[in-house]
Amino acid sequence: MKRILFFFMVTVSVVVAYYVNLTSDILSDNQKRSAENVLLDNNLFPARPVWWSDGKILAVGILPDSSTGDVAAQTACDLLIAEQLPVSGLRIEVYDVLKIQNEDEWSLLGFAVCE
């Protein structure tokens, strides 16, 4: 009986932790606006961030010749960390802003996960 109860409690704990992780955003709405403004102040990111997904992914656009995607994503992480925003676990994806504008094609150039 104790084993069944223990197994049940562990299972419930895992399900609750998974649900909380799925439904929680990394940044509040005010922090998202602050993050967008920080990136807009940097010439590497010429356009407002393309979109936020599930509060855990920030997509930004760069000009394709300005930097490699992974370096640009890590630069974005560093800028947000420098502003002391709680971005640990935030995934930043970098897209070619010209392809989005001209061809409506989302070409992923790189990404980074902020630590």
Side-chain angles (χ1 to χ4, degrees):
M1 182 66 178
K2 288 182 181 181
R3 287 183 185 174
I4 293 172
L5 183 59
F6 177 74
F7 179 74
F8 177 74
M9 295 300 287
V10 169
T11 303
V12 169
S13 298
V14 169
V15 169
V16 168
Y18 180 74
Y19 175 76
V20 168
N21 188 36
L22 279 179
T23 60
S24 63
D25 287 346
I26 292 175
L27 299 174
S28 69
D29 289 338
N30 287 338
Q31 290 170 328
K32 287 179 184 178
R33 281 190 290 278
S34 295
E36 291 175 9
N37 290 332
V38 166
L39 296 179
L40 284 173
D41 288 342
N42 189 295
N43 292 335
L44 181 59
F45 306 102
R48 183 162 290 287
V50 181
W51 50 256
W52 288 87
S53 175
D54 298 331
K56 296 178 178 140
I57 299 174
L58 169 61
V60 295
I62 65 168
L63 299 173
D65 298 331
S66 61
S67 177
T68 65
D70 291 337
V71 171
Q74 189 57 53
T75 300
C77 281
D78 294 342
L79 290 169
L80 299 178
I81 290 168
E83 292 295 318
Q84 299 179 343
L85 291 168
V87 293
S88 180
L90 179 67
R91 178 183 168 107
I92 297 183
E93 295 181 349
V94 177
Y95 292 88
D96 181 340
V97 72
L98 294 179
K99 278 194 175 182
I100 293 171
Q101 289 175 343
N102 297 333
E103 303 170 18
D104 198 27
E105 182 179 326
W106 293 66
S107 176
L108 181 65
L109 299 175
F111 71 93
V113 178
C114 301
E115 297 177 0

